[in-house]
Amino acid sequence: MSGTISAWPGRLRALSPLVGALAFVALWWWACALKLVDPVLLPTPGAVLRALWDGFVGGAMVHDFLVTVQRTLLSFVIALAIAVPCGIVLGSSKRLYGYVEFLIDFFRSTPASALFPLFLVLFGVGEKTKVAVAAFGAGLTILFNVAYGVMNARKTRQAAARVMGAGRLRIMVDVTLLESLPQTFIGMRAGISFALIIVIVAEMFIGSVDGLGQRVLNAQMVFEMPTMYAAILAAGILGYGLNLVFLLIERRFVHWGGK
């Protein structure tokens, strides 16, 4: 009995994210009920959920959802494959990182949408542009965090491994990289979210015929507001789900972070 009672706080903490979501839906419903916004522009939560249900059950939104997932994951994998090795190399040498720090911070601070014309010139109108610009933006975020994690690995553990006779490669693999994993996962979570944002914006403005971004734009142009909000909701659920997956992986494999 006592074990069941003691488990309640943990269960309540697990349900705590629902509080904000329910409060948001209640505020949305209240605004619709009082007609604070034109009902044509702001449909009720029920109407949006019905549009979301019809879109997935009928299959019209499933294709767009899967296309966006595919583009996001492809751009993230490309970014990960390039940024992690480069981040390790740059993080291992503060002098080398200093040479490229301005470039990393400059492009990391530049809105990705401002780079669309450049990538259009390089890759043309098509899938390559959407994936490339998303991979570029996500890659800079991952690279920065990987390099930062490597540079800030605890020197005491590195020194202890060195005293015990470990070579530079062994120290890098068994100490420095493990020490940098918490920061690396932060970069991965930020990178996958950034990739999704760029992909959806690219779907809106770079010659796309499918994807959640294109569905949002098309629905807005013909004033199908429930469909528009449903697509936005689907994109939000996708982003939250991807972040949650990486958070669970981090808790499973990097549970020792900060200890």
Side-chain angles (χ1 to χ4, degrees), residues 2-257:
S2 59
T4 303
I5 295 176
S6 62
W8 271 105
R11 294 173 181 173
L12 291 177
R13 281 194 298 270
L15 295 175
S16 59
L18 292 176
V19 176
L22 293 175
F24 175 76
V25 172
L27 182 63
W28 181 1
W29 178 87
W30 177 75
C32 293
L34 295 182
K35 296 185 178 180
L36 299 179
V37 182
D38 188 338
V40 175
L41 302 178
L42 184 65
T44 64
V48 173
L49 289 176
R50 281 194 298 272
L52 182 65
W53 174 263
D54 293 340
F56 275 90
V57 173
M61 199 176 293
V62 173
H63 173 71
D64 292 321
F65 185 86
L66 293 178
V67 167
T68 298
V69 171
Q70 180 182 353
R71 289 169 177 157
T72 301
L73 293 180
L74 179 58
S75 61
F76 175 74
V77 169
I78 294 173
L80 200 65
I82 297 173
V84 170
C86 291
I88 293 172
V89 172
L90 293 175
S92 301
S93 172
K94 289 188 177 181
R95 177 179 296 182
L96 182 60
Y97 184 81
Y99 293 146
V100 296
E101 182 177 10
F102 170 77
L103 290 176
I104 294 173
D105 289 341
F106 176 82
F107 284 108
R108 197 166 58 90
S109 303
T110 303
S113 56
L115 299 175
F116 283 175
L118 172 62
F119 280 87
L120 283 169
V121 170
L122 294 175
F123 299 102
V125 178
E127 289 297 304
K128 290 182 180 180
T129 299
K130 301 179 188 65
V131 173
V133 69
F136 180 78
L140 287 174
T141 301
I142 296 171
L143 187 150
F144 172 79
N145 282 276
V146 172
Y148 183 83
V150 171
M151 284 189 291
N152 289 274
R154 276 176 274 194
K155 308 304 179 185
T156 52
R157 293 186 178 180
Q158 293 175 333
R162 196 174 295 112
V163 168
M164 289 186 289
R168 294 184 61 181
L169 182 59
R170 185 72 179 271
I171 293 173
M172 172 61 71
V173 174
D174 291 347
V175 179
T176 305
L177 293 184
L178 289 178
E179 283 280 306
S180 68
L181 274 182
Q183 191 68 36
T184 298
F185 267 93
I186 291 175
M188 291 168 64
R189 287 167 54 196
I192 192 74
S193 298
F194 200 38
L196 175 61
I197 293 170
I198 298 174
V199 164
I200 288 179
V201 174
E203 289 172 347
M204 290 180 175
F205 302 111
I206 302 182
S208 183
V209 296
D210 49 20
L212 290 176
Q214 186 60 213
R215 179 163 289 271
V216 170
L217 188 63
N218 288 342
Q220 181 266 334
M221 292 178 66
V222 296
F223 272 78
E224 291 182 1
M225 292 305 171
T227 301
M228 184 191 78
Y229 284 105
I232 294 173
L233 183 59
I237 293 172
L238 174 58
Y240 181 82
L242 291 173
N243 181 74
L244 183 61
V245 168
F246 278 95
L247 186 61
L248 293 175
I249 294 174
E250 181 181 358
R251 289 178 179 175
R252 175 67 178 83
F253 294 101
V254 200
H255 54 84
W256 40 262

